[in-house]
Protein backbone atom coordinates (compact mmCIF):
# COMPACT_ATOMS: atom_id res chain seq x y z
CA UNK A 1 0.00 0.00 0.00
CA UNK A 2 0.89 3.66 -0.11
CA UNK A 3 3.09 4.90 2.69
CA UNK A 4 5.21 7.81 3.88
CA UNK A 5 8.40 7.54 5.89
CA UNK A 6 9.92 10.58 7.53
CA UNK A 7 12.89 10.99 9.78
CA UNK A 8 12.23 10.45 13.41
CA UNK A 9 12.65 13.22 15.87
CA UNK A 10 12.84 15.03 17.99
CA UNK A 11 15.09 17.49 16.22
CA UNK A 12 16.57 20.28 18.29
CA UNK A 13 18.26 23.20 16.56
CA UNK A 14 19.60 26.57 17.54
CA UNK A 15 17.99 29.65 16.06
CA UNK A 16 19.28 30.45 12.54
CA UNK A 17 20.48 26.89 11.95
CA UNK A 18 19.63 25.04 8.73
CA UNK A 19 16.83 22.50 8.76
CA UNK A 20 16.29 19.36 6.71
CA UNK A 21 13.56 16.85 7.48
CA UNK A 22 13.71 13.83 5.22
CA UNK A 23 10.59 12.33 3.70
CA UNK A 24 10.31 9.42 1.28
CA UNK A 25 7.19 7.79 -0.08
CA UNK A 26 5.87 4.63 -1.66
CA UNK A 27 2.90 4.97 -3.97
CA UNK A 28 1.31 3.00 -6.76
CA UNK A 29 0.43 6.07 -8.81
CA UNK A 30 1.69 9.62 -9.09
CA UNK A 31 0.84 11.28 -5.81
CA UNK A 32 0.55 14.85 -4.77
CA UNK A 33 2.88 15.57 -1.84
CA UNK A 34 2.35 17.81 1.16
CA UNK A 35 3.97 19.12 4.28
CA UNK A 36 1.66 19.98 7.16
CA UNK A 37 2.66 21.72 10.39
CA UNK A 38 1.01 21.26 13.77
CA UNK A 39 1.65 23.81 16.49
CA UNK A 40 1.05 22.76 20.11
CA UNK A 41 -2.61 22.17 20.85
CA UNK A 42 -3.74 23.02 17.35
CA UNK A 43 -4.84 21.29 14.17
CA UNK A 44 -2.78 20.77 11.05
CA UNK A 45 -2.00 23.60 8.70
CA UNK A 46 -0.95 23.04 5.12
CA UNK A 47 2.59 24.36 4.83
CA UNK A 48 3.40 23.59 1.20
CA UNK A 49 2.59 21.19 -1.59
CA UNK A 50 3.77 19.83 -4.93
CA UNK A 51 1.60 18.02 -7.42
CA UNK A 52 4.06 16.69 -9.99
CA UNK A 53 7.68 15.68 -10.40
CA UNK A 54 10.26 18.48 -10.08
CA UNK A 55 7.69 20.88 -8.64
CA UNK A 56 9.02 22.93 -5.74
CA UNK A 57 6.64 23.94 -3.00
CA UNK A 58 7.56 26.89 -0.82
CA UNK A 59 6.05 28.91 1.99
CA UNK A 60 7.33 30.95 4.95
CA UNK A 61 10.94 30.21 4.03
CA UNK A 62 10.35 26.45 3.84
CA UNK A 63 10.93 24.55 0.61
CA UNK A 64 10.51 21.01 -0.66
CA UNK A 65 11.11 19.56 -4.12
CA UNK A 66 9.19 16.60 -5.53
CA UNK A 67 11.88 14.12 -6.59
CA UNK A 68 10.33 11.24 -8.49
CA UNK A 69 13.66 9.46 -9.09
CA UNK A 70 14.34 9.19 -5.37
CA UNK A 71 10.66 9.22 -4.29
CA UNK A 72 11.47 11.98 -1.85
CA UNK A 73 10.06 15.31 -0.69
CA UNK A 74 12.53 16.63 1.90
CA UNK A 75 11.61 19.77 3.84
CA UNK A 76 14.28 22.46 4.10
CA UNK A 77 14.70 25.87 5.64
CA UNK A 78 17.85 27.91 5.61
CA UNK A 79 17.44 29.68 8.95
CA UNK A 80 14.96 28.47 11.55
CA UNK A 81 13.30 30.59 14.19
CA UNK A 82 11.96 29.75 17.63
CA UNK A 83 8.45 30.19 16.21
CA UNK A 84 9.09 27.25 13.84
CA UNK A 85 8.95 24.86 16.79
CA UNK A 86 6.18 22.42 15.91
CA UNK A 87 5.50 18.94 14.59
CA UNK A 88 5.91 18.54 10.83
CA UNK A 89 4.04 15.88 8.86
CA UNK A 90 4.79 14.70 5.36
CA UNK A 91 1.75 13.35 3.49
CA UNK A 92 0.64 12.12 0.10
CA UNK A 93 -2.61 11.87 -1.82
CA UNK A 94 -2.98 9.74 -4.93
CA UNK A 95 -5.77 11.73 -6.54
CA UNK A 96 -8.12 14.52 -5.64
CA UNK A 97 -10.67 13.79 -2.94
CA UNK A 98 -8.85 10.79 -1.51
CA UNK A 99 -7.61 10.35 2.04
CA UNK A 100 -4.19 11.62 2.93
CA UNK A 101 -1.51 9.16 3.98
CA UNK A 102 0.69 10.67 6.68
CA UNK A 103 4.13 10.03 8.02
CA UNK A 104 4.52 9.77 11.78
CA UNK A 105 5.63 13.36 12.17
CA UNK A 106 8.88 15.00 13.22
CA UNK A 107 8.96 17.23 16.26
CA UNK A 108 11.19 20.27 15.83
CA UNK A 109 12.36 22.37 18.75
CA UNK A 110 14.27 25.58 18.04
CA UNK A 111 16.10 27.16 20.95
CA UNK A 112 17.25 30.76 21.18
CA UNK B 1 -14.28 33.08 5.53
CA UNK B 2 -14.52 30.62 8.39
CA UNK B 3 -12.32 27.55 8.35
CA UNK B 4 -13.25 24.05 9.35
CA UNK B 5 -15.07 24.08 12.68
CA UNK B 6 -15.02 21.28 15.17
CA UNK B 7 -16.74 21.00 18.51
CA UNK B 8 -16.29 20.34 21.24
CA UNK B 9 -12.57 21.05 21.44
CA UNK B 10 -12.21 18.85 24.49
CA UNK B 11 -14.48 16.01 25.53
CA UNK B 12 -14.24 13.83 28.61
CA UNK B 13 -16.25 10.64 28.78
CA UNK B 14 -16.35 7.75 31.21
CA UNK B 15 -15.95 4.24 29.92
CA UNK B 16 -19.18 2.99 28.38
CA UNK B 17 -20.57 6.41 27.49
CA UNK B 18 -21.13 7.76 24.01
CA UNK B 19 -19.03 10.45 22.36
CA UNK B 20 -20.34 12.71 19.59
CA UNK B 21 -17.89 14.83 17.63
CA UNK B 22 -19.07 17.48 15.20
CA UNK B 23 -17.44 18.95 12.13
CA UNK B 24 -18.61 21.79 9.89
CA UNK B 25 -16.59 21.97 6.66
CA UNK B 26 -15.41 25.14 5.02
CA UNK B 27 -17.97 27.02 2.98
CA UNK B 28 -18.25 25.48 -0.47
CA UNK B 29 -16.69 22.18 0.58
CA UNK B 30 -18.82 19.05 0.48
CA UNK B 31 -16.08 16.48 1.12
CA UNK B 32 -15.30 15.61 4.73
CA UNK B 33 -12.62 13.34 6.15
CA UNK B 34 -12.09 12.14 9.71
CA UNK B 35 -8.66 11.24 11.04
CA UNK B 36 -7.50 10.01 14.41
CA UNK B 37 -4.20 10.93 16.05
CA UNK B 38 -2.96 8.81 18.87
CA UNK B 39 -0.35 10.29 21.23
CA UNK B 40 3.02 10.73 19.49
CA UNK B 41 1.64 9.21 16.29
CA UNK B 42 0.74 10.51 12.87
CA UNK B 43 -2.81 10.86 11.66
CA UNK B 44 -4.68 7.79 10.54
CA UNK B 45 -7.56 8.02 8.11
CA UNK B 46 -10.91 6.83 9.41
CA UNK B 47 -13.72 7.77 7.01
CA UNK B 48 -14.48 9.93 3.98
CA UNK B 49 -17.96 11.31 3.42
CA UNK B 50 -19.87 13.48 1.04
CA UNK B 51 -23.30 14.86 1.76
CA UNK B 52 -25.55 11.92 2.72
CA UNK B 53 -22.98 9.36 1.51
CA UNK B 54 -20.13 7.41 3.01
CA UNK B 55 -17.51 7.12 0.28
CA UNK B 56 -14.73 5.25 2.09
CA UNK B 57 -14.86 3.87 5.61
CA UNK B 58 -11.89 1.55 5.31
CA UNK B 59 -10.18 3.12 8.33
CA UNK B 60 -13.12 2.90 10.69
CA UNK B 61 -13.15 0.27 13.42
CA UNK B 62 -15.88 -2.22 12.64
CA UNK B 63 -17.67 -1.83 15.95
CA UNK B 64 -18.83 1.14 18.02
CA UNK B 65 -17.80 3.78 15.47
CA UNK B 66 -20.12 5.43 12.96
CA UNK B 67 -20.14 8.61 10.91
CA UNK B 68 -22.67 10.62 8.99
CA UNK B 69 -22.84 13.80 6.96
CA UNK B 70 -26.49 14.76 6.57
CA UNK B 71 -27.91 17.03 3.93
CA UNK B 72 -28.24 19.77 6.52
CA UNK B 73 -25.92 20.30 9.44
CA UNK B 74 -22.46 19.15 10.42
CA UNK B 75 -20.78 15.82 9.99
CA UNK B 76 -20.95 13.67 13.12
CA UNK B 77 -18.49 11.03 14.28
CA UNK B 78 -20.09 8.87 16.94
CA UNK B 79 -18.30 6.50 19.25
CA UNK B 80 -20.50 4.25 21.33
CA UNK B 81 -19.45 2.60 24.59
CA UNK B 82 -16.10 4.35 24.66
CA UNK B 83 -13.02 2.60 26.02
CA UNK B 84 -9.71 4.03 27.24
CA UNK B 85 -8.07 3.18 23.92
CA UNK B 86 -10.40 5.64 22.18
CA UNK B 87 -8.59 8.52 23.90
CA UNK B 88 -7.05 10.51 21.05
CA UNK B 89 -7.33 13.67 19.02
CA UNK B 90 -9.91 13.44 16.25
CA UNK B 91 -9.44 15.76 13.31
CA UNK B 92 -11.83 16.62 10.58
CA UNK B 93 -10.75 17.95 7.19
CA UNK B 94 -12.66 19.22 4.20
CA UNK B 95 -11.79 19.66 0.54
CA UNK B 96 -13.32 21.49 -2.41
CA UNK B 97 -15.56 19.81 -4.91
CA UNK B 98 -13.24 20.40 -7.85
CA UNK B 99 -10.15 22.28 -8.85
CA UNK B 100 -7.82 21.88 -5.88
CA UNK B 101 -9.65 18.77 -4.75
CA UNK B 102 -6.41 17.32 -3.38
CA UNK B 103 -6.04 20.08 -0.76
CA UNK B 104 -7.51 19.26 2.61
CA UNK B 105 -8.09 21.86 5.29
CA UNK B 106 -8.10 20.72 8.87
CA UNK B 107 -10.12 21.77 11.85
CA UNK B 108 -8.59 22.33 15.31
CA UNK B 109 -9.54 18.84 16.45
CA UNK B 110 -11.50 17.32 19.31
CA UNK B 111 -9.41 15.86 22.09
CA UNK B 112 -11.29 12.94 23.60
CA UNK B 113 -10.28 11.65 27.00
CA UNK B 114 -11.88 8.49 28.32
CA UNK B 115 -11.61 8.03 32.06
Amino acid sequence: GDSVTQMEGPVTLSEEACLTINCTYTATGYPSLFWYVQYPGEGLQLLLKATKADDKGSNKGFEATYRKETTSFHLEKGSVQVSDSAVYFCALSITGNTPLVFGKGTRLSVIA
Amino acid sequence: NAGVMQNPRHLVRRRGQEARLRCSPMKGHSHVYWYRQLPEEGLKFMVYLQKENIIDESGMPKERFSAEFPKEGPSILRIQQVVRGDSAAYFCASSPNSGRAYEQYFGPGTRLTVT
Side-chain angles (χ1 to χ4, degrees):
Chain A
D2 303 326
S3 65
V4 174
T5 302
Q6 60 182 105
M7 65 185 283
E8 294 191 17
V11 175
T12 302
L13 295 174
S14 298
E15 207 165 22
E16 299 183 4
C18 294
L19 169 71
T20 299
I21 301 178
N22 291 336
C23 171
T24 57
Y25 66 89
T26 302
T28 51
Y30 297 97
S32 296
L33 301 173
F34 308 87
W35 278 100
Y36 281 84
V37 58
Q38 184 180 32
Y39 298 102
E42 298 185 10
L44 275 70
Q45 299 176 25
L46 179 62
L47 181 60
L48 53 83
K49 66 182 184 294
T51 59
K52 60 183 187 297
D54 300 325
D55 267 2
K56 177 186 282 189
S58 61
N59 186 25
K60 299 181 182 179
F62 290 89
E63 293 183 340
T65 301
Y66 189 143
R67 301 284 187 204
K68 184 182 172 187
E69 63 276 12
T70 54
T71 61
S72 65
F73 192 54
H74 304 321
L75 182 68
E76 298 176 326
K77 187 174 186 182
S79 176
V80 294
Q81 306 300 313
V82 172
S83 57
D84 294 326
S85 299
V87 181
Y88 292 82
F89 293 95
C90 185
L92 67 81
S93 174
I94 294 301
T95 61
N97 296 128
T98 57
L100 289 166
V101 176
F102 284 90
K104 288 191 173 183
T106 302
R107 182 177 300 278
L108 170 66
S109 295
V110 180
I111 53 177
Chain B
N1 190 11
V4 178
M5 312 277 282
Q6 287 188 252
N7 67 81
R9 293 291 304 274
H10 300 275
L11 182 61
V12 180
R13 286 286 179 265
R14 287 196 293 271
R15 278 180 297 170
Q17 291 185 318
E18 178 180 285
R20 280 190 179 228
L21 289 62
R22 295 174 187 78
C23 168
S24 297
M26 286 181 70
K27 188 176 180 180
H29 291 190
S30 61
H31 301 262
V32 166
Y33 311 80
W34 285 93
Y35 295 86
R36 177 164 63 175
Q37 183 180 33
L38 295 169
E40 302 302 319
E41 293 281 331
L43 278 73
K44 301 291 187 187
F45 165 72
M46 299 181 75
V47 62
Y48 163 34
L49 310 102
Q50 294 180 30
K51 287 280 188 183
E52 301 183 278
N53 284 305
I54 296 175
I55 307 303
D56 180 353
E57 57 182 347
S58 58
M60 284 275 271
K62 293 290 185 281
E63 297 178 352
R64 302 187 298 108
F65 285 72
S66 62
E68 62 177 7
F69 189 15
K71 187 176 180 181
E72 302 291 337
S75 175
I76 306 286
L77 177 68
R78 187 166 75 160
I79 311 172
Q80 295 178 297
Q81 299 176 318
V82 296
V83 301
R84 288 228 171 99
D86 296 332
S87 295
Y90 293 82
F91 291 97
C92 166
S94 71
S95 65
N97 300 340
S98 61
R100 292 182 171 179
Y102 50 82
E103 287 190 15
Q104 294 185 18
Y105 296 85
F106 283 78
T110 294
R111 280 155 182 83
L112 172 66
T113 302
V114 179
T115 61

